[in-house]
Amino acid sequence: MTQADLNLVGYKIMNEDKDMDAAEKIFKLNMEEHPKAANPYDSYGDYLVEKGNEKEAKEYFKKSAEMSRDSKDDWEKNTLHPQTKSKLAKIDKKHLQMDFLLGDWNSD
């Protein structure tokens, strides 16, 4: 199975079946089977956030961001990396720094 296949199974189990124990096993297996792929670490971070453990999730997001930053895989570098950085910013509450700008603005 590819890391993408394992990811899909892990998310389905976590989000649809609501079996967090089984999802954890799938996400951990994905990291073990594909240690050089950044996405399994990001996905395990998502699992940890879902479990309410943002502190530990942050470590997995950092690892994923570090791995994907200079990846030779275009999807990891151009899609996964910014998504993971966004998740880190949300955990650090950096997304709140600009929230006062939300709304309908008229520049006339």
Side-chain angles (χ1 to χ4, degrees), residues 68-84:
S68 61
R69 180 183 57 234
D70 299 319
S71 178
K72 292 183 180 8
D73 180 284
D74 285 341
W75 181 84
E76 281 190 357
K77 185 175 184 175
N78 299 320
T79 302
L80 180 64
H81 182 71
Q83 288 175 354
T84 304

Side-chain angles (χ1 to χ4, degrees), residues 42-94:
D42 176 81
S43 298
Y44 190 64
D46 288 340
Y47 161 80
L48 290 167
V49 167
E50 190 71 23
K51 289 279 287 185
N53 190 348
E54 287 186 344
K55 184 178 179 182
E56 189 177 354
K58 188 173 174 178
E59 297 308 311
Y60 285 91
F61 289 147
K62 282 181 181 178
K63 183 170 180 78
S64 176
E66 183 180 302
M67 293 172 75
S68 61
R69 180 183 57 234
D70 299 319
S71 178
K72 292 183 180 8
D73 180 284
D74 285 341
W75 181 84
E76 281 190 357
K77 185 175 184 175
N78 299 320
T79 302
L80 180 64
H81 182 71
Q83 288 175 354
T84 304
K85 294 290 283 184
S86 176
K87 292 173 188 179
L88 280 167
K90 188 170 184 179
I91 287 174
D92 289 338
K93 309 292 189 235
K94 290 182 180 174

